[in-house]
């Protein structure tokens, strides 16, 4: 067992099981709370290290994909154990590289462990392979029907981009990595430069787990980078078969375009920006305005607003209840102390992007939109009429940080018009009383067509990791709205359907053999069954 608090960070890359620092470009991470650089010098991966990581992954793939469900589940559970063994070293590193609190670090770590263990269960449960069997009908006229058996198989090495705002749950051993490893795909992580130390600690846990559970060398690599070149080369590399990304629309779109221009294009599953519209219906505002102001102020400002599900757009019909709600929301927002943002660059982008909104014609700032000293983000809200919102596309741009824009509508038709004008979103929310909801059916229909998750009487922040979760949505919320980046179904991004035709039973994968020794549920001749054939 690794002894907590003794892992030394050396700033090297992990090329499979080997540490390596052959590059000449170096960098340090930054503590946004103290405004001091952390001490470790990280080495950006050089071209040879990129080549070596992918070549190892390519060699590991045929062996890794043949590991049994039990072996892969054991690997994932051992990664979770090794992360736990990092103890306070991990928590301190996380806080020193992000300015986030210890509470948040512990919460995110718990979620990361839960995801790893969930995917261990998912692998062993087998439903993700979607086993489907059509037995032959030799006597069928005019031509005999062949025996055809289908299951999902892994696509090959996957490149995962660590996210700035989730150093654990969407980074080195986050949802993308856990789901790809569960599917049987080797993973090469392009570590996020803002939290490379946290990434290296987690990488050390994954490599230890891989060795302990006899996984092939190359099943996992972790590459440091200071700029975008390493990520671009990874996506261009012919051995890469898929990409997982969380971040900006600019970054995700750039990677999607690179992938599309390859000789052999590959899928890029990018989860990008969203302003997460919330419709506040009149009766709800009248009867629960106070309570709603408290919960939305909290949702807008939690984690300094650095969540992809932060409610960035509030829509309501102009009446006395709305005016009262805005007064209460203003009071609540002003009461929230500015908190440290992830990095000076993120803080700079927050203030610049908020400025771009509030300086537009006809926007009224409801609270002050101060520039804070240090790396803190001042919570704020502003408003605009729907008529003016509809005239300017800029209002659709995500302001990543504690800011929300209220759109004041004349009536429900204007709410529908604003929703209709929006690009794809991760979430949409309806706040309403049962007595009024039927009147707004059209709005619910319009909202459903642009989002991946529809929330009723709640806030969009807080994404449950479970089978039924969809964290994705029409472009640009994600690059492929048919998939989710969170929850058990995210494994489907890393598999492809594969059919065996007239194949001898003994040579089929166990999951498709007649005996069904795994006792899994299969679709056999159009009937779901756990029975043997
Ligand atoms: P980002 O700029 O999109 O970067 C994410 C990762 O992608 C980084 O590792 C970055 O590499 C890489 N990357 C970016 N542009 C690239 C390109 N053209 N080619 C290849 N790789 C590229 O996101 P971020 O650094 O996490 O934060 C910046 C902004 O993104 C935030 O201010 C926010 O607006 C947005 N963001 C949104 C979400 C969301 O969930 N919606 C989450 C996080 C961030 P380097 O760092 O090495 O440049």
């Amino acid at each position: 067992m690794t002894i907590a608090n003794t892992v030394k960070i050396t700033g090297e890359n992990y090329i499979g099981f080997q540490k390596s620092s052959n590059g000449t470009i170096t960098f340090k991470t930054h503590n946004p709370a103290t405004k001091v650089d952390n001490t470790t010098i990280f080495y950006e991966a050089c071209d040879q290290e990129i080549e070596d990581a992918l070549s190892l992954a390519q060699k590991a793939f045929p062996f890794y994909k043949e590991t049994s469900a039990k072996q892969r589940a054991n690997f994932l559970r051992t990664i979770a154990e090794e992360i736990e063994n990092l103890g306070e070293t991990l928590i301190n590193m996380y806080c020193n590289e992000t300015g986030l609190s210890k509470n948040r670090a512990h919460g995110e770590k718990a979620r990361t462990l839960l995801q790893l263990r969930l995917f261990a269960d998912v692998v062993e449960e087998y439903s993700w392979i979607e086993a489907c069997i059509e037995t032959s009908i030799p006597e069928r006229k005019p031509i005999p029907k062949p025996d055809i058996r289908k299951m999902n198989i892994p696509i090959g090495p996957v490149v995962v981009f660590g996210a700035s705002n989730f150093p654990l749950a969407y980074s080195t051993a986050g949802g993308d990595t856990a789901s790809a490893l569960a599917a049987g795909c080797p993973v090469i992580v392009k570590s996020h430069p803002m939290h490379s130390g946290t990434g290296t600690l987690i990488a050390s846990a994954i490599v230890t787990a891989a060795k302990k559970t006899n996984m092939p060398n190359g099943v996992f690599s972790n590459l440091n980078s200071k700029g975008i070149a390493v990520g671009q080369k990874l996506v261009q590399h012919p051995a890469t078969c898929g990409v997982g990304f969380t971040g900006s629309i600019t970054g995700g779109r750039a990677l999607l375009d690179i992938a599309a221009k390859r000789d052999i294009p590959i899928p890029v599953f990018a989860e990008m920006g969203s302003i997460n519209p919330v419709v506040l219906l009149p009766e709800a505002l009248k009867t629960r305005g106070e309570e709603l102001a408290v919960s939305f102020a909290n949702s807008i400002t939690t984690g300094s607003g650095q969540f992809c599900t932060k409610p960035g757009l509030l829509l309501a019909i102009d009446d006395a209840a709305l005016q009262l709600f805005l007064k209460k929301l203003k009071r609540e927002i002003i009461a929230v102390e500015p908190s440290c943002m992830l990095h000076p660059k993120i803080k700079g982008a927050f203030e610049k992007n908020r400025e771009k909104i509030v300086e537009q014609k006809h926007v009224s700032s409801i609270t002050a939109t101060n520039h804070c000293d240090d790396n803190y983000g001042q919570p704020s809200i502003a408003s605009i009429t729907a008529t003016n919102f509809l005239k300017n596309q800029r209002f659709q741009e995500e302001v990543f940080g504690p800011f929300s824009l209220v759109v004041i509508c004349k009536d429900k038709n204007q709410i529908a018009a604003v929703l209709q004008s929006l690009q794809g979103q991760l979430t949409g929310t309806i706040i309403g009383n049962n007595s009024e909801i039927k009147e707004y059916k059209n709005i619910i229909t319009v909202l459903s067509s642009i989002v991946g998750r529809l929330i009723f009487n709640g806030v969009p922040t807080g994404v449950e990791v479970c089978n039924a979760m969809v964290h994705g949505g029409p472009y640009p919320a994600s690059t492929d709205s048919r998939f989710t980046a969170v929850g058990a179904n995210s494994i489907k991004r890393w598999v492809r359907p594969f059919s065996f035709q007239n194949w001898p039973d003994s040579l089929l994968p166990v999951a498709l053999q007649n005996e069904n020794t795994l006792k899994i549920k299969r679709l056999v001749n159009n009937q779901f069954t756990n029975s043997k054939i």
Side-chain angles (χ1 to χ4, degrees):
M1 175 170 132
T2 314
I3 298 166
N5 298 324
T6 59
V7 181
K8 288 263 184 304
I9 292 290
T10 58
E12 291 167 292
N13 302 284
Y14 275 97
I15 310 299
F17 295 163
Q18 293 301 312
K19 286 186 187 175
S20 176
S21 53
N22 297 334
T24 51
I25 298 171
T26 59
F27 65 99
K28 290 179 175 177
T29 58
H30 182 76
N31 185 330
T34 60
K35 295 200 283 183
V36 172
D37 281 352
N38 295 305
T39 52
T40 307
I41 295 169
F42 292 92
Y43 291 83
E44 180 169 288
C46 65
D47 288 355
Q48 189 58 52
E49 288 166 328
I50 293 173
E51 190 56 43
D52 292 347
L54 276 153
S55 154
L56 271 179
Q58 207 171 19
K59 285 189 193 129
F61 180 50
F63 299 98
Y64 185 56
K65 79 182 172 77
E66 292 306 323
T67 50
S68 67
K70 206 169 168 192
Q71 286 171 308
R72 289 220 284 278
N74 184 29
F75 176 33
L76 290 165
R77 291 188 184 114
T78 310
I79 296 173
E81 269 167 36
E82 291 300 324
I83 292 174
E84 282 186 315
N85 289 340
L86 293 169
E88 283 303 296
T89 307
L90 177 65
I91 301 299
N92 292 334
M93 180 67 79
Y94 175 107
C95 296
N96 289 341
E97 291 189 323
T98 61
L100 295 170
S101 68
K102 283 201 171 194
N103 260 352
R104 161 75 195 264
H106 280 291
E108 204 184 318
K109 179 175 134 184
R111 180 177 166 154
T112 309
L113 301 178
L114 181 144
Q115 286 177 160
L116 286 160
R117 291 173 175 141
L118 167 88
F119 280 109
D121 294 345
V122 168
V123 183
E124 287 182 324
E125 187 261 328
Y126 277 98
S127 63
W128 63 279
I129 69 165
E130 295 174 342
C132 174
I133 298 173
E134 300 259 350
T135 52
S136 67
I137 311 177
E139 66 282 7
R140 193 183 68 175
K141 300 281 186 244
I143 46 166
K145 182 182 178 186
D147 181 291
I148 305 190
R149 302 183 182 214
K150 175 172 80 85
M151 64 182 277
N152 289 329
I153 60 167
I155 56 173
V158 165
V159 168
V160 170
F161 284 74
S164 59
N165 59 341
F166 277 94
L168 296 173
Y170 282 89
S171 286
T172 322
D176 287 349
T177 299
S179 55
L181 290 177
C185 299
V187 169
I188 302 97
V189 169
K190 207 291 287 176
S191 181
H192 199 287
M194 293 177 194
H195 46 72
S196 305
T198 307
T200 306
L201 282 173
I202 297 286
S204 73
I206 299 176
V207 168
T208 305
K211 288 181 184 166
K212 275 190 178 175
T213 56
N214 298 318
M215 292 296 138
N217 188 11
V219 69
F220 175 81
S221 288
N222 183 57
L223 305 184
N224 298 317
S225 76
K226 187 184 178 187
I228 60 177
V230 171
Q232 295 182 339
K233 286 173 191 169
L234 286 168
V235 176
Q236 278 159 344
H237 197 284
T240 301
C241 294
V243 178
F245 171 93
T246 302
S248 64
I249 295 178
T250 316
R253 181 65 205 227
L255 298 175
L256 183 70
D257 290 344
I258 290 171
K261 282 188 193 133
R262 289 168 41 126
D263 286 345
I264 299 174
I266 51 168
V268 173
F269 297 101
E271 188 261 283
M272 305 179 287
S274 195
I275 51 175
N276 303 299
V278 176
V279 178
L280 299 140
L281 298 182
E283 278 301 312
L285 282 182
K286 202 165 152 190
T287 55
R288 298 185 274 134
E290 179 80 39
E291 180 198 319
L292 290 168
V294 173
S295 66
F296 275 92
N298 186 37
S299 183
I300 293 165
T301 59
T302 299
S304 216
Q306 300 166 115
F307 290 125
C308 44
T309 50
K310 179 207 71 180
L313 201 70
L314 308 182
L315 294 94
I317 295 171
D318 196 9
D319 63 8
L322 173 63
Q323 294 309 325
L324 204 58
F325 167 76
L326 291 181
K327 267 193 194 154
K328 289 169 181 167
L329 185 62
K330 175 180 178 178
R331 186 194 66 208
E332 292 299 321
I333 292 279
I334 290 172
V336 179
E337 288 293 323
S339 56
C340 190
M341 299 194 74
L342 291 162
H343 194 272
K345 272 198 213 161
I346 300 256
K347 191 265 174 138
F350 163 60
E351 288 185 345
K352 196 176 89 200
N353 292 331
R354 184 182 58 180
E355 198 77 22
K356 280 195 211 157
I357 301 284
V358 295
E359 74 184 12
Q360 299 296 311
K361 256 201 216 162
H362 308 300
V363 173
S364 312
S365 291
I366 298 177
T367 64
T369 48
N370 296 340
H371 288 242
C372 284
D373 290 338
D374 303 325
N375 291 312
Y376 283 54
Q378 172 77 53
S380 54
I381 47 171
S383 72
I384 178 97
T385 62
T387 308
N388 288 315
F389 181 93
L390 288 165
K391 288 180 188 160
N392 190 342
Q393 277 287 110
R394 174 147 280 164
F395 295 127
Q396 299 222 11
E397 285 172 23
E398 181 187 33
V399 177
F400 194 66
F403 172 77
S404 193
L405 183 66
V406 181
V407 183
I408 300 176
C409 306
K410 282 189 210 144
D411 52 28
K412 60 184 174 188
N413 294 333
Q414 260 203 332
I415 296 183
V418 170
L419 294 176
Q420 230 143 16
S421 77
L422 296 181
Q423 299 176 305
Q425 305 289 331
L426 291 169
T427 73
T429 302
I430 300 279
I431 303 290
N433 288 357
N434 289 339
S435 53
E436 63 186 331
I437 196 77
K438 278 195 189 127
E439 269 182 69
Y440 294 90
K441 261 190 171 163
N442 182 40
I443 282 171
I444 298 166
T445 308
V446 174
L447 191 53
S448 314
S449 68
I450 58 160
V451 306
R453 177 164 59 108
L454 195 58
I455 298 136
F456 185 56
N457 282 337
V459 291
T461 40
V463 182
E464 188 67 30
V465 179
C466 66
N467 288 323
M469 176 52 67
V470 172
H471 188 64
Y475 186 88
S478 76
T479 45
D480 195 333
S481 63
R482 294 168 301 169
F483 296 89
T484 173
V486 173
N489 269 308
S490 62
I491 195 171
K492 304 262 177 73
R493 295 171 299 167
W494 318 121
V495 295
R496 65 186 177 94
F498 185 92
S499 288
F500 294 88
Q501 184 163 333
N502 286 341
W503 211 243
D505 192 64
S506 62
L507 297 181
L508 284 166
V510 183
L512 295 180
Q513 288 178 359
N514 288 342
E515 203 55 32
N516 195 12
T517 50
L518 299 170
K519 305 220 175 334
I520 59 174
K521 200 179 207 184
R522 311 186 291 187
L523 185 64
V524 178
N525 297 329
N526 283 329
Q527 298 282 321
F528 279 110
T529 170
N530 291 65
S531 308
K532 63 182 179 179
I533 293 170

